[in-house]
């Protein structure tokens, strides 16, 4: 099958970018979208042109590296599928594909289709962890967890941090991502000791990073390759509300600290 | 950053307000109060179908105790200010800042029309409320007005067809605003359950449609002559 691609080309964060048109011939329907770009890049390299930069790693839908907009939908038209797992058989001969990077102030473009998603890492650093002392392992059944909560926590933990939720959100909010992380830990006994501070700090970090605010419209869950439900956002809202009331810390941690840490400015 | 940037003040209230979720919670709570007011307002207004005497008596009843009347007015005004202020700050953040470069192509695949147009339906409702107060409370809406004659004012007001049509449009906007707003408020306050949320979303739509039909019946009643002086 032959396709026309319109790809966002941008040299680096500071230079202006534009859509560039490419024709790709004899696309094998068994290839993934990324493999199709690999083929295009080989051609470009042979012609002495700059290949298209896109992020990828596992290519099996579990690492969260890949992802760009395909015809206006994050990760393309197939539900519950990352870009690397999306095969070309979902397109037909003569299709025109518009490939654009995730767009958000919090995701500066690195090059072409690749953005810097370290804002998500800083949200995790602000509280998406449990402080567990290491030592000899305890008995597996020492902490009881209701099956339902274990399942819900697992569903939330399926988030691979790809950033599609931010890209699809008309407000460029990272509510689904942060909600997933807060839910995943908040549903488990190990997450309870830091639950209050976690909600306050992670939510504060969202604002510092320049993400927008959630309007509960559901574009995020529609594109999430892991089908995370916006129920996690309401869980985050509930935790934030409870934490705002309960927290005894005054003032709570300044999230800009994390930013300094992240940029290596803090020892 | 903007007005919504984290200006880490000292008080807990400031920090709550500075978090986007804090503002959303304020919007949900103020929206809930305004929603309850709208329901009560409709129930009161429907008495127009009981005739002039009854309706004017109801209008007088609302004004029996000026202190109460003003308490209610100030309370509602506070809710409106909070709702609008928070949404305006979030609007600036969401539409002006969070995505400086837009998409060449963007498809909406998971959201309803009503949910995407809250920033349109809201201001239209606000414009309507201002005119509505000018017309029936202050008496400066350009239609015949006489203090204490609520029924007659209403009939005279709605006999002007363009005004009635504006009312109908505004009520349709209120309906779409509530399609999303009612269930969204629950989501913002942290209530979402796979069993109840779908029911709530349907219920929100039914209530919004019922409110629309209820409010629309009044200008339509005047225009068709069912309600007359
Ligand atoms: S490359 Fe790892 S999820 Fe796509």
């Amino acid at each position: 099958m032959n396709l026309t691609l319109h790809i966002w080309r941008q040299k680096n964060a500071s230079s202006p970018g534009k859509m560039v048109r490419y024709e790709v011939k004899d696309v094998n329907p068994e290839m993934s979208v990324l493999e199709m770009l690999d083929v295009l890049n080989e051609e470009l390299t042979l012609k002495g042109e700059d290949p298209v930069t896109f992020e990828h790693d596992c290519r099996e839908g579990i690492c969260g590296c890949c992802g760009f907009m395909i015809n206006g939908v994050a990760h393309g038209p197939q539900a519950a599928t990352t870009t690397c797992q999306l095969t070309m058989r979902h397109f037909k001969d003569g299709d025109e594909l518009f490939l654009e990077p995730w767009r958000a102030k919090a995701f500066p473009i690195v090059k072409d289709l690749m953005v810097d998603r370290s804002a998500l890492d800083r949200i995790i650093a602000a509280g998406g962890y449990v402080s567990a002392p290491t030592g000899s392992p305890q008995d597996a059944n020492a902490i009881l967890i209701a099956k339902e909560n274990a399942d819900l926590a697992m569903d939330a933990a399926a988030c691979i941090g790809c950033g599609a939720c931010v890209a699809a959100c008309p407000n460029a909010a990272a509510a689904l991502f942060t909600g997933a992380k807060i839910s995943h830990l908040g549903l488990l006994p190990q997450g309870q000791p830091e639950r209050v501070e976690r909600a306050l700090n992670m939510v504060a970090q969202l604002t510092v990073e320049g993400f927008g605010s959630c309007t509960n419209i559901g574009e995020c869950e529609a594109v999430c390759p892991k089908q995370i439900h916006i129920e996690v956002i309401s869980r985050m809202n509930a935790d934030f509300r409870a934490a705002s009331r309960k927290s005894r810390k005054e003032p709570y941690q300044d999230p800009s600290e994390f930013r300094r840490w992240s940029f290596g400015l803090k020892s | 950053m903007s007005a919504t940037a984290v200006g880490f003040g000292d008080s807990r209230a400031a920090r709550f307000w500075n978090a986007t979720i804090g503002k959303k919670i304020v919007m949900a709570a103020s929206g809930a109060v305004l929603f309850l007011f709208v329901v009560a307002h409709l129930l009161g207004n429907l008495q127009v179908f009981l005739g002039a005497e009854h309706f004017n008596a109801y209008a007088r009843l609302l004004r029996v105790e000026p202190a109460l009347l003003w308490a209610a007015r100030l309370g509602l005004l506070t809710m409106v200010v909070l709702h609008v202020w928070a949404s305006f700050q979030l609007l600036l953040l969401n539409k002006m800042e969070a995505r400086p470069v837009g998409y060449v192509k963007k498809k909406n695949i998971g959201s309803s029309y009503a949910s995407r147009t809250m920033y349109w339906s809201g201001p239209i409702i606000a414009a309507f409320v201002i005119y509505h107060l000018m017309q029936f409370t202050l008496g400066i809406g350009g239609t015949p007005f006489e203090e204490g004659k609520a029924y007659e004012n209403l009939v005279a007001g709605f006999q002007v067809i363009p005004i009635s049509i504006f009312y109908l449009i505004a009520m349709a906007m209120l309906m779409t605003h509530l399609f999303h707003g009612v269930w969204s408020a629950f989501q913002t306050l942290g209530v979402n359950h796979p069993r109840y949320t779908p029911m709530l979303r349907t219920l929100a739509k039914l209530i919004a449609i019922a409110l629309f039909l209820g409010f629309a019946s009044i200008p339509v009643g005047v225009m068709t002559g069912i309600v007359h002086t």
Side-chain angles (χ1 to χ4, degrees), chain A residues 41 101 120-121 165 188 228:
Chain A
N41 278 344
L120 299 184
D121 296 340
C165 45
L188 297 174
I228 291 171

Side-chain angles (χ1 to χ4, degrees), chain A residues 1 18-19 26 151 164 166 170 194 204-206 208 231 234 267:
Chain A
M1 94 177 115
K18 61 171 191 303
M19 298 298 278
D26 301 322
D151 288 348
V166 178
E194 284 151 313
Q205 190 68 24
L206 278 178
V208 173
E231 189 181 340
S234 86
S267 53

Side-chain angles (χ1 to χ4, degrees), chain A residues 19 69 71-73 98 100-105 166-172 203-204 207-208 210-219 222-223 229-231 233-234 236-238 240-241 244-248 250-252 254-255, chain B residues 1 4-6 8-12 15-16 18-22 24-25 90 93-95 97-112 115-116 119 180 183-194 201:
Chain A
M19 298 298 278
M69 303 298 278
N71 283 349
V73 179
F98 285 76
E100 295 177 73
W102 295 162
R103 296 284 188 197
K105 178 179 165 194
V166 178
C169 176
N171 314 319
V203 169
T207 313
V208 173
F211 288 106
S213 83
C214 178
T215 46
N216 300 331
I217 75 170
E219 284 296 330
V223 299
H229 193 272
I230 56 170
E231 189 181 340
I233 298 178
S234 86
M236 164 173 71
N237 294 341
F240 174 80
R241 185 163 51 78
S244 299
R245 180 166 45 83
K246 280 188 209 152
S247 174
R248 287 172 175 250
E250 185 98 55
Y252 58 75
D254 178 355
Chain B
M1 282 207 194
T4 49
V6 189
F8 285 89
D10 283 322
S11 79
R12 291 157 67 115
R15 250 170 246 124
F16 182 77
N18 281 333
T20 52
I21 298 179
K24 286 286 298 193
I25 290 173
L90 292 178
L93 172 70
N94 294 344
K95 302 296 173 208
E97 290 190 39
R99 178 167 292 137
V101 183
Y103 290 109
V104 175
K105 259 200 178 185
K106 176 73 171 73
K107 256 191 225 143
N108 296 309
I109 56 169
S111 55
S112 64
S115 72
R116 289 194 306 272
Y119 285 130
H180 182 67
W183 93 267
S184 174
F186 280 88
Q187 163 87 0
T188 298
L189 293 173
V191 181
N192 188 321
H193 189 284
R201 294 185 75 157

Side-chain angles (χ1 to χ4, degrees), chain A residues 32-34 66-68 70 74-76 81-87 102:
Chain A
S32 71
V33 175
L34 300 189
C66 68
F68 39 78
I70 304 174
H75 288 302
T81 308
T82 54
T83 305
C84 59
Q85 290 281 286
L86 179 66
T87 49
W102 295 162

Side-chain angles (χ1 to χ4, degrees), chain A residues 34 55-67 75 82-85 160 162 226:
Chain A
L34 300 189
E55 200 181 352
H56 64 106
D57 188 15
C58 71
R59 298 215 177 188
E60 56 181 7
I62 56 169
C63 75
C65 278
C66 68
H75 288 302
T82 54
T83 305
C84 59
Q85 290 281 286
I160 54 176
C162 64
K226 299 297 152 188

Side-chain angles (χ1 to χ4, degrees), chain A residues 74-142:
Chain A
H75 288 302
Q78 191 73 357
T81 308
T82 54
T83 305
C84 59
Q85 290 281 286
L86 179 66
T87 49
M88 296 311 295
R89 74 173 81 95
H90 296 293
F91 302 96
K92 42 183 207 311
D93 189 43
D95 272 0
E96 254 187 285
L97 303 189
F98 285 76
L99 310 184
E100 295 177 73
W102 295 162
R103 296 284 188 197
K105 178 179 165 194
F107 288 170
I109 290 187
V110 176
K111 192 167 185 241
D112 298 337
L113 298 175
M114 182 176 179
V115 299
D116 177 356
R117 287 172 295 123
S118 48
L120 299 184
D121 296 340
R122 290 189 289 273
I123 291 173
I124 297 289
Y129 52 78
V130 290
S131 306
T134 51
S136 53
Q138 46 173 321
D139 184 75
N141 293 321

